[in-house]
Amino acid sequence: MAATAAVCLLHSSRRLVGAARTASKVMRVQRRKTSDKAPTRTGKKNDEVISHELKEGETEKPTLFGGFGVPTNIAFPNLKGVEGWDDREMDVKEVIKDVPQIFKKEFKKLGKEISSIRGSVEKTDILEALGGLKDDEARADYRFRTPEEISLWHTGCDSDWKEGFSSVRFDPTHRGTAVFSGNLSSVIVKDGRVERAGYATIKLEDKAAFNRRKYFTQWMNYSHLMIKCRGDGRSYKVMLHSPLAIDMTWGDSYSFPLHTHGGPYWQYERIPFSKFFHTVAGRIQDRQQSVSLTDVSSLSITLMDRMDGPFALELDWIGVVHDRSHVEETAYETYTLPLWNTHGI
Amino acid sequence: KAASSSLSVAFRSFCIPSGAVSSSRFVSSEPSKPEEVRLAHIERQFDAVPRESRDKKAFLAAIAVFKERRSRQHVEFINSALKYVKEYGVHKELDTYKALLNIFPKGKMIPQNTFQRIMLHYPQQQNCCVKVLDEMEWHGVQPDKEIHDIVVNAFGEWNFATKKIKRMLFWMPKLKYSNKYIDRRHIEGKNLTAAELSGHALKMMSRDPATTLDFIKLSDGPSSSSSDAHLEDDWIVSAQSVQQRRIIAGLQEGTKITVDGPFRVYIMEHAIQYVKMTSPPLEKSFEEFEKHDMIGREDFSDWFSEWTKDRSGRGRSVQEQKDETVLAMAVFSNNDNQSADKWIRHLQKSSPALEKMMVHLRIDKGDEMFNTEKKDDTENVQQAKTSSIDSS
């Protein structure tokens, strides 16, 4: 603990006292590749050290590309809202080295995207876009048959951020489905910061070329979200994420519980889009609005039902269905409060 | 009454004697007194109670003792009490939280002018109140109007802590009954036996509304000592519907039927292990979606025959799943192949066709939910004995 604190201190002091160091005689410069607070991902080590021996009389000269001792913060946006996520340091040289490879992959993706633009003139597609859907018309968009389809889904749990002891995995089965399973633990990490623990989640990260968002516009005119799943009786939570443009709205989502009845029978769980309530970073908001699917770019299924123990949810497909008798626009009150009101804090 | 008085005697050695300086730092003016008053942490009040008598009465008594003795340090006491709420087993009771919030003085902390309304008036107390309400929400305890009034009387109508209880009162009732697969009122707060819970679990899992539940008591003969009688819990709860019996009657002779288990299901916070009896799927093709291209949509040439066909055609029953056909479900008190054998015997009474089938019992495989790999059929398969063996 003391060693890590010393390293952190070293970082901050280096940023402040850049000029004064030129006079001092530094024998060995050591720098960690990533910050101590940055979470460890599988396969990546957090304690790679870059070191360089200084010759007699040499001072640390700042260079344009990859100077030792010069902190370079390439300002990762802190999308996950976790302390230390954006505290990474990397040599600019390395970033430039990786660029051609990344660009090649992304341009290929972009090419595929352009060639598959939905300019369909099929009557069914036009009617779907305009809202002329028949009763019980459905589409199953996200399946779990191939490894590529499963790789779109990323798992997360509290132990990833060293805030708990849950475990999570997302594995394919021989039936062409995938199982979201693991063990939930509400044991609290004794670091004085964490108060509650125990969550596990899978999130769809289906991005277009250059990490652009894909929106669920195709689902715009359907009334219900349909998930074919087989649970274990626990109550999961479905979240439709709509992070939008500014960092204030990055936590915007619309949630609803996904109750499972367990057992060997498959469950076609239909949740009307009108029933989703507005949450920000998982917290229910006072001011409610109904979900607009043109802003939604991701979907996730979470388990945080405050019960310890193993869990398993088998997913066959996720899609939408239209129920023409469903006329409800939103299940929650949408009146607006007068100007000087108490909903502020 | 006796319990509370004995507890108050126990507490006296840790609390400050009345009339002394109101802080936990107490300097004794008479060092020669045999009974020294030591510096005592508030948590000792809860720790001192022996584990056997840690129940609701003891907890409420501790709160009552605090209320009559101290006029300060509510926040420290409440924060300490919250740590022991689960140990004393009172975390799911509304009375606990009402008693804890009643400790706050009424009226004193209500903001009187605009500045007090803007700034978080009595922030430590408000945060403590929110912690209590958080704990209540975490354990799923539903608030009522009385607890709202307690908080309003303490902090005012539109304050930070009251907003929390108002939000709880708005959202928790909305989502309390959103699970349409169980009726919470039958399960939460009730001391159900394992068999009753299993019955509820099987009812939740059965998608056929015409499922009937049977409770089969298995007695292995008289036990040697009477003390073991209550431990011998040998029963089966079996769930089967008329449709499933019809399917069994219609199966071909020699069809492979497997009894798989145990699998895990949760009913509220209880975990139940169940077994299922399945056969291979009845139909080769399993279509969930109808074709929906334009040609299919607007082809009305066969409209009359399609209409008549649909009327007389047999739809697919809910038992017929894609990979298996579910024939029955059960919960055993002991998960082993012997219980499965007895269960099959019981089912044979209503479905005599079962005797002609090849029943494979795979109970001893262990708890594995949604096995990702295909189970090896030839490993450790025990065939159910036919009617040549006499039933016990």
Side-chain angles (χ1 to χ4, degrees), chain A residues 190-253:
Chain A
K190 291 195 168 86
D191 65 354
R193 197 173 54 90
V194 175
E195 279 181 38
R196 310 268 185 209
Y199 73 87
T201 172
I202 48 166
K203 187 168 189 269
L204 175 73
E205 303 270 8
D206 187 14
K207 298 287 186 82
F210 295 100
N211 263 354
R212 282 159 39 243
R213 288 189 204 130
K214 278 197 213 172
Y215 297 98
F216 291 173
T217 41
Q218 216 175 21
W219 289 2
M220 208 166 57
N221 293 307
Y222 290 87
S223 65
H224 288 64
L225 176 76
M226 185 147 68
I227 300 178
K228 185 182 177 196
C229 60
R230 199 154 64 151
D232 54 355
R234 291 177 89 145
S235 303
Y236 297 78
K237 178 164 77 157
V238 185
M239 293 175 82
L240 302 168
H241 297 271
S242 55
L244 303 179
I246 54 176
D247 63 346
M248 226 159 58
T249 57
W250 277 349
D252 264 20
S253 46

Side-chain angles (χ1 to χ4, degrees), chain B residues 52-65:
Chain B
E52 312 83 58
S53 50
R54 284 189 185 184
D55 60 351
K56 185 177 176 179
K57 231 197 220 172
F59 195 84
L60 294 176
I63 295 176
V65 165

Side-chain angles (χ1 to χ4, degrees), chain B residues 296-311:
Chain B
R297 256 174 106 136
E298 288 192 343
D299 185 16
F300 299 113
S301 49
D302 292 322
W303 68 272
F304 188 68
S305 50
E306 265 179 17
W307 182 64
T308 48
K309 182 177 74 165
D310 270 9
R311 279 192 145 198

Side-chain angles (χ1 to χ4, degrees), chain B residues 227-277:
Chain B
S227 60
D228 287 333
H230 71 283
L231 294 168
E232 281 221 27
D233 210 14
D234 218 2
W235 44 261
I236 296 175
V237 183
S238 164
Q240 200 183 33
S241 75
V242 180
Q243 209 172 42
Q244 284 166 326
R245 282 186 212 121
R246 277 207 208 118
I247 291 172
I248 294 174
L251 285 175
Q252 271 189 353
E253 196 177 306
T255 313
K256 181 180 161 206
I257 291 180
T258 35
V259 177
D260 264 320
F263 299 108
R264 191 178 49 243
V265 72
Y266 286 87
I267 179 152
M268 292 208 79
E269 65 270 11
H270 310 281
I272 309 278
Q273 302 216 303
Y274 71 94
V275 298
K276 61 176 182 181
M277 185 167 84

Side-chain angles (χ1 to χ4, degrees), chain A residues 228 232 268-269 286 306 310, chain B residues 137 167 181 266 288 321:
Chain A
K228 185 182 177 196
D232 54 355
Y268 294 86
E269 185 74 5
D286 289 342
R306 302 154 184 182
Chain B
E137 197 184 338
R167 280 176 193 133
Y181 300 115
Y266 286 87
E288 283 169 325
Q321 306 270 300

Side-chain angles (χ1 to χ4, degrees), chain B residues 110-327:
Chain B
I110 299 177
Q112 298 299 324
N113 58 50
T114 317
F115 289 112
Q116 289 175 358
R117 267 177 232 117
I118 294 169
M119 314 301 282
L120 192 66
H121 201 46
Y122 282 94
Q124 199 183 31
Q125 282 78 353
Q126 292 219 38
N127 287 332
C128 174
C129 178
V130 168
K131 275 201 169 68
V132 173
L133 294 170
D134 263 344
E135 193 76 21
M136 200 169 123
E137 197 184 338
W138 181 263
H139 291 125
V141 179
Q142 301 283 320
D144 64 356
K145 190 163 192 308
E146 196 191 330
I147 201 163
H148 169 265
D149 291 340
I150 293 169
V151 178
V152 165
N153 287 333
F155 295 105
E157 185 72 46
W158 289 106
N159 216 334
F160 176 66
T162 36
K163 275 196 206 155
K164 163 91 188 165
I165 183 72
K166 280 179 197 291
R167 280 176 193 133
M168 281 169 71
L169 272 169
F170 183 84
W171 288 107
M172 288 176 88
K174 267 197 206 283
L175 301 171
K176 184 179 181 188
Y177 295 110
S178 58
N179 189 353
K180 56 188 184 244
Y181 300 115
I182 54 166
D183 191 347
R184 277 172 77 132
R185 301 171 294 181
H186 295 325
I187 300 154
E188 70 176 338
K190 296 209 187 323
N191 279 332
L192 296 172
T193 61
E196 283 173 340
L197 261 179
S198 312
H200 283 293
L202 284 169
K203 191 176 162 203
M204 174 177 77
M205 291 190 289
S206 305
R207 294 289 90 215
D208 189 350
T211 311
T212 47
L213 298 168
D214 296 325
F215 176 76
I216 307 147
K217 183 97 183 117
L218 308 167
S219 46
D220 277 314
S223 51
S224 51
S225 62
S226 57
S227 60
D228 287 333
H230 71 283
L231 294 168
E232 281 221 27
D233 210 14
D234 218 2
W235 44 261
I236 296 175
V237 183
S238 164
Q240 200 183 33
S241 75
V242 180
Q243 209 172 42
Q244 284 166 326
R245 282 186 212 121
R246 277 207 208 118
I247 291 172
I248 294 174
L251 285 175
Q252 271 189 353
E253 196 177 306
T255 313
K256 181 180 161 206
I257 291 180
T258 35
V259 177
D260 264 320
F263 299 108
R264 191 178 49 243
V265 72
Y266 286 87
I267 179 152
M268 292 208 79
E269 65 270 11
H270 310 281
I272 309 278
Q273 302 216 303
Y274 71 94
V275 298
K276 61 176 182 181
M277 185 167 84
T278 56
S279 79
L282 294 180
E283 285 162 14
K284 283 240 167 70
S285 65
F286 184 89
E287 284 305 320
E288 283 169 325
F289 295 94
E290 282 173 14
K291 273 293 162 200
H292 201 62
D293 49 356
M294 220 48 235
I295 300 155
R297 256 174 106 136
E298 288 192 343
D299 185 16
F300 299 113
S301 49
D302 292 322
W303 68 272
F304 188 68
S305 50
E306 265 179 17
W307 182 64
T308 48
K309 182 177 74 165
D310 270 9
R311 279 192 145 198
S312 59
R314 180 191 79 91
R316 191 170 57 222
S317 66
V318 71
Q319 267 73 351
E320 291 165 59
Q321 306 270 300
K322 185 173 176 190
D323 297 307
E324 60 195 2
T325 306
V326 183
L327 299 175

Side-chain angles (χ1 to χ4, degrees), chain A residues 127-141:
Chain A
L127 280 175
E128 184 190 48
L130 293 175
L133 294 160
K134 284 192 162 181
D135 190 44
D136 256 0
E137 190 169 327
R139 48 181 311 130
D141 277 330

